[in-house]
Amino acid sequence: MTYRVALVGAGNMGGWHATHWKRMEGIEIVGVLDPRQDAAAALGPAFSDWETMLAMAKPDIIDICTPTPNHREYVERAAAAGKAIFVEKPLSRSMEDCEAIVAAVEKAGVPAMAGHVVRYFPEFAAAKKIIDEGGVGTPATVRTARLSGFPNITGRENWYANPDKSGGVVLDMILHDFDWLRWTFGPVRSVMAKGLFGSSRFDKGLDYALVTLRFASGVVGHVTGSWAHPSGFQTTFEVAGDKGLIAHDSLKSVSLSSSLRGAEGGRAAVIMPESPMIPNDDPYYQELNAFVQALRAGMTPPVTVYDALEAARIALAALESIATGKAVTL
């Protein structure tokens, strides 16, 4: 079966998705909805009106790559039309909108997947596998960092610079870490955060946050996010348990390493760099392909809108904690 895909949004992410859809067997891009018709036409058949695109393109899948504040509108439209849905992260800017998205998908009974792509990055996937297989023993603490400069969109409104639209570094960027951490360590019970969100520095193109998470399992997590990093993009993590440590630094030539104790305990029996398997494809291809394979098999997509709702819940709690100076219980 060939799936007909309509993209909503022809910006950077829409263009990236279109590249990967075009590489995939059994996929045809039949429409691109964006008011900037030149940008839409560069990716596929251009439309400026939702109803016209729906009627003429007859898509099976709606891929929503708009700015965050528009996600709810298009998920609700796509669900009401009975279409399979892929929606980029974050699910939305408020819990009200996130819950409305989940309700629309549940009411329509349509398959839907959220774009939490970090699950498909090899270092993060390999680390979860090591943890799940007991490689670090019982996890105790985890630290992650995701660091970059302030997002810069040229030629149109930089909606990232509007905190009411983007949610800053917490909702837009370290949301990736919140999803991976919840996927790996289970539910979060409390959130405490400090950051620049809402300060005058955000207006100057700077944002930074430090978030402490307490998991129901007893694990304590520390998540750092920066849109004030001067030296490009970097991700790191460390996971420590009673049998050892795994660590990742994207700037190192071997980006994933482990120091694991032997069966008798004591000094580390294995101290060696581990390079995860090189993926056959870009992680963005992998997540879109995983969605398609779930559709073909009639299975629940691997990253549900419920997963995205819970990641957003953590991020929005962190923003509340930054604003109030108090811990937030989930």
Side-chain angles (χ1 to χ4, degrees):
M1 174 183 177
T2 295
Y3 285 107
R4 299 166 63 84
V5 175
L7 281 163
V8 182
N12 292 339
M13 190 56 70
W16 199 237
H17 280 211
T19 296
H20 293 307
W21 285 125
K22 290 173 182 177
R23 294 177 53 205
M24 210 175 293
E25 291 186 10
I27 295 294
E28 180 184 3
I29 295 179
V30 295
V32 183
L33 181 67
D34 196 293
R36 300 163 302 142
Q37 291 289 277
D38 55 342
L43 305 181
F47 292 90
S48 58
D49 174 76
W50 168 265
E51 296 298 340
T52 301
M53 182 183 74
L54 215 61
M56 294 184 63
K58 296 179 171 57
D60 304 301
I61 297 171
I62 304 293
D63 181 7
I64 299 165
C65 297
T66 64
T68 300
N70 304 118
H71 288 178
R72 175 180 175 177
E73 173 189 357
Y74 286 108
V75 169
E76 289 180 332
R77 288 185 177 190
K83 307 302 180 181
I85 300 165
F86 189 97
V87 58
E88 261 303 331
K89 48 60 61 183
L91 196 58
S92 198
R93 179 62 182 85
S94 69
M95 284 306 300
E96 178 184 358
D97 284 354
C98 290
E99 289 168 352
I101 286 171
V102 172
V105 167
E106 289 179 344
K107 180 181 178 181
V110 295
M113 180 165 165
H116 283 284
V117 70
V118 162
R119 297 190 187 199
Y120 294 90
F121 275 75
E123 297 87 353
F124 287 84
K128 176 173 168 55
K129 185 172 186 293
I130 292 169
I131 295 161
D132 287 350
E133 293 176 350
V136 300
T138 301
T141 62
V142 55
R143 294 180 181 272
T144 72
R146 192 166 298 269
L147 316 169
S148 77
F150 202 90
N152 183 32
I153 297 177
T154 57
R156 59 192 177 98
E157 177 200 8
N158 187 357
W159 62 274
Y160 290 101
N162 184 333
D164 293 332
K165 292 183 177 181
S166 71
V169 74
V170 171
L171 184 64
D172 191 79
M173 194 164 79
I174 57 175
L175 179 83
H176 282 301
D177 299 287
F178 298 149
D179 175 69
W180 182 77
L181 289 165
R182 178 181 167 274
W183 182 47
T184 304
F185 300 104
V188 171
R189 287 292 175 255
S190 69
V191 180
M192 181 69 192
K194 295 291 185 180
L196 297 179
F197 189 83
S199 74
S200 60
R201 292 186 180 274
F202 191 95
D203 297 333
K204 295 178 173 62
L206 297 171
D207 196 14
Y208 181 92
L210 176 61
V211 184
T212 299
L213 307 176
R214 293 188 177 274
F215 294 82
S217 64
V219 172
V220 176
H222 301 279
V223 181
T224 301
S226 174
W227 276 351
H229 204 55
S231 56
F233 184 77
Q234 181 182 13
T235 60
T236 67
F237 63 70
E238 290 184 351
V239 180
D242 58 4
K243 289 186 179 178
L245 174 79
I246 54 175
H248 153 73
D249 186 335
S250 63
L251 298 186
K252 293 185 177 179
S253 58
V254 177
S255 63
L256 184 66
S257 63
S258 64
S259 177
L260 307 179
R261 295 180 183 272
E264 302 302 321
R267 296 185 60 186
V270 180
I271 303 177
M272 57 178 291
E274 281 186 289
S275 182
M277 292 185 299
I278 302 300
N280 293 328
D281 294 291
D282 183 282
Y284 290 93
Y285 177 95
Q286 297 237 5
E287 68 168 353
L288 294 175
N289 186 57
F291 180 48
V292 170
Q293 296 311 311
L295 295 183
R296 294 195 191 284
M299 298 176 65
T300 301
V303 188
T304 66
V305 289
Y306 176 78
D307 292 321
L309 169 75
E310 293 305 312
R313 191 188 307 278
I314 297 167
L316 292 168
L319 291 179
E320 179 184 344
S321 179
I322 290 170
T324 64
K326 299 178 181 180
V328 177
T329 300
L330 300 186

